[in-house]
Amino acid sequence: MSSTHAAAVYNIASPSTINKWLKQLEENGVDALETNKKGRPSMKLMVSPLNGN
């Protein structure tokens, strides 16, 4: 199946995405296809102990 056909069948916007996935799979194995989070990490609420004054 061509990347163009696969993109159409699986409703993927660009066949180049499939080509990118194939390259990652061939070079680094299945683990390379795992989703990586992008963007800034969320800020965690910092709790400080209350002063007993």
Side-chain angles (χ1 to χ4, degrees):
M1 177 182 294
S2 72
S3 57
T4 304
H5 184 91
V9 169
Y10 294 103
N11 197 27
I12 297 171
S14 173
S16 65
T17 300
I18 297 194
N19 292 330
K20 178 180 151 190
W21 291 342
L22 285 171
K23 184 177 179 182
Q24 287 177 337
L25 178 63
E26 289 170 358
E27 291 178 356
N28 304 311
V30 176
D31 292 336
L33 300 177
E34 216 171 289
T35 303
N36 294 326
K37 290 186 177 183
K38 292 184 176 180
R40 184 180 205 149
S42 63
M43 295 182 63
K44 295 185 180 194
L45 180 62
M46 298 288 292
V47 179
S48 61
L50 296 175
N51 292 334
N53 294 338

